[in-house]
Amino acid sequence: MEGEAISALCTPALVVDVDKVKRNAQRMIERCQELGVQLRPHMKTHKTLECADIMTGGSRRCIVVSTLAEACFYADHGFDDILYAYSLPFDKVERCAALSERLDLFQVLLDHPQALEQLKKRPLRDGRLWHVWLKLDCGNGRAGVLHSEPEALRLAQAITETEGVELTGVYAHCGNTYNCRGVEQIQAVAQETTNFTLQFMEKLKAVGITCKSSIGSTPSCSHPVKDMAQLSEVHPGNYGFYDVQQSLIGSCSLEDVAVRVLTRVIGHSPHRNQLLIDCGWTGLSLDGAGKLPTGYAMIEGHPDLKLLSMTQEHGRVEPISGPLDYSKYPLGSLLTLIPYHSCATAMMHPVYHVHSEGRLLGKWTPTRGW
């Protein structure tokens, strides 16, 4: 189908504008170069080789993953310097050890002394070290040891003092930027996370410990504050694709969003003043429920329409107000959905159809699983 218009695709179909992906990636590379920090892009949104090549500038080095399946996938295809940025799962220690013994640099993350004990029980062969990042909670309220608690410093010291283990860095995710609206709020959270991280680095320095520091989220790295230049790395991920959520936060404009889901009208329901489309939650995800006036997504070119609800394989579309003009939406006609959360939507699709200016170039196949 290469060279054909994206309208030739069977639906529902996830389409990726490769020109926008390249532009988004290049902008992030340039931001990090201007800051003087290492960019370690996160792979969790797209999970493909092709997009990883674009985001790493072709180096195939210095990436973050959220699943071990991703780590193995990238390792199998020549990537190295991989950080598995997920609180160490005890059932996956042996798989982590295999990657650590195979790659030049595979790194794990932990936030609890019991995880460190797991590493001590599995020393690496050939004198290799476990490369460990300490996960800090700097206000996001998910994983991580709270930056202000004495336990954080004690855990860092314990990692440093453990034979066969190296404290590689301190890692914080400022996911609380997702609650922001506008650049000013984004930068306030980015500044706070940066401050907390740098303050913790000073605590480490005071007890003779030196290591890297890294914070990240797509909003904070799309609008970095100058003090982020004092960090070693940043680790955004969603920015390759972006989405409606990021445009509402203020990370990007709607024009920057590189992904769409194509869907077709398969039913008219005048008694409900609705259209039926062939994209249900298996083609879009239910993420974003109740957060948009247009429902679960934005329908490109039709701001008057709302994706009201979805079942597994069906979507119900209705006008925001007034009666539907069914002549505008004949059966078989194409609608284009801009997803609220591209990470969730991409996970629904076994293949992405890549295009430039609406003409198909090929397919990207993501890895799946954990």
Side-chain angles (χ1 to χ4, degrees):
M1 297 185 71
E2 287 186 26
E4 290 191 63
I6 58 174
S7 58
L9 292 167
C10 290
T11 52
L14 184 80
V15 295
V16 177
D17 185 330
V18 71
D19 301 314
K20 290 184 178 182
V21 172
K22 289 178 178 178
R23 185 165 65 244
N24 293 340
Q26 186 57 36
R27 285 174 179 167
M28 191 62 74
I29 288 169
E30 290 171 359
R31 281 189 205 106
C32 292
Q33 287 173 342
E34 289 171 11
L35 274 175
V37 297
Q38 174 67 53
L39 171 62
R40 183 181 290 275
H42 211 308
M43 303 291 107
K44 74 182 189 69
T45 300
H46 58 87
K47 306 187 186 222
T48 66
L49 296 175
E50 296 87 349
C51 196
D53 272 332
I54 293 169
M55 293 170 82
T56 62
S59 73
R60 296 202 162 193
R61 294 292 181 273
C62 200
I63 61 171
V64 194
V65 298
S66 58
T67 69
L68 212 47
E70 293 165 48
C72 293
F73 173 70
Y74 287 112
D76 287 345
H77 289 89
F79 284 74
D80 213 316
D81 189 355
I82 300 171
L83 168 56
Y84 177 32
Y86 193 84
S87 300
L88 181 71
F90 293 1
D91 61 318
K92 297 180 176 67
V93 171
E94 189 56 40
R95 290 167 64 193
C96 289
L99 284 169
S100 296
E101 291 167 347
R102 169 185 165 194
L103 297 176
D104 287 341
L105 184 57
F106 179 72
Q107 300 149 92
V108 296
L109 179 146
L110 58 79
D111 59 5
H112 198 281
Q114 289 182 18
L116 180 58
E117 289 300 313
Q118 292 292 316
L119 299 185
K120 289 167 68 174
K121 291 176 184 177
R122 176 46 171 101
L124 298 178
R125 289 188 284 270
D126 302 323
R128 286 181 171 247
L129 299 176
W130 282 105
H131 296 280
V132 174
W133 289 72
L134 172 64
K135 179 65 179 284
L136 280 189
D137 180 357
C138 291
N140 185 42
R142 193 172 65 182
V145 57
L146 195 61
H147 68 96
S148 57
E149 291 296 318
E151 294 95 304
L153 183 58
R154 284 200 290 267
L155 184 52
Q157 290 175 299
I159 295 169
T160 303
E161 293 164 4
T162 300
E163 185 178 354
V165 179
E166 173 195 271
L167 179 61
T168 303
V170 172
Y171 185 102
H173 173 53
C174 42
N176 39 340
T177 51
Y178 279 65
N179 299 320
C180 296
R181 288 295 180 270
V183 174
E184 185 176 347
Q185 290 184 18
I186 291 170
Q187 292 189 326
V189 173
Q191 185 67 61
E192 181 180 67
T193 305
T194 300
N195 289 346
F196 288 155
T197 302
L198 292 175
Q199 287 165 13
F200 187 75
M201 300 307 292
E202 286 300 314
K203 293 179 185 177
L204 292 180
K205 187 178 178 181
V207 294
I209 298 174
T210 58
C211 64
K212 294 180 181 179
S213 55
S214 181
I215 75 163
S217 71
T218 282
S220 62
C221 295
S222 295
H223 300 290
V225 294
K226 63 180 182 179
D227 284 344
M228 286 168 63
Q230 299 177 57
L231 301 165
S232 309
E233 299 183 358
V234 293
H235 50 261
N238 175 276
Y239 68 93
F241 283 0
Y242 281 128
D243 49 35
V244 171
Q245 178 180 218
Q246 295 291 346
S247 73
L248 294 174
I249 292 168
S251 308
C252 66
S253 70
L254 207 54
E255 177 60 28
D256 296 321
V257 181
V259 290
R260 304 286 190 276
V261 174
L262 303 183
T263 182
R264 284 187 168 86
V265 177
I266 58 169
H268 288 172
S269 304
H271 57 293
R272 294 197 307 268
N273 197 32
Q274 289 179 347
L275 302 170
L276 206 60
I277 59 174
D278 66 358
C279 181
W281 54 258
T282 53
L284 190 67
S285 93
L286 290 170
D287 207 349
K291 295 181 180 178
L292 296 172
T294 54
Y296 287 88
M298 293 183 69
I299 303 177
E300 193 164 35
H302 300 280
D304 53 330
L305 293 182
K306 178 179 184 177
L307 179 52
L308 177 70
S309 65
M310 290 179 289
T311 54
Q312 185 167 332
E313 304 296 347
H314 297 81
R316 297 184 183 91
V317 174
E318 68 179 22
I320 290 176
S321 63
L324 263 176
D325 181 354
Y326 287 94
S327 67
K328 292 182 179 179
Y329 313 103
L331 296 185
S333 60
L334 205 63
L335 292 175
T336 302
L337 309 178
I338 312 177
Y340 176 79
H341 188 184
S342 60
C343 304
T345 297
M347 275 299 298
M348 301 291 108
H349 292 262
V351 66
Y352 313 154
H353 300 275
V354 182
H355 71 93
S356 176
E357 298 181 349
R359 291 286 167 182
L360 291 167
L361 298 176
K363 299 175 182 179
W364 292 352
T365 303
T367 191
R368 292 289 180 250
W370 293 270

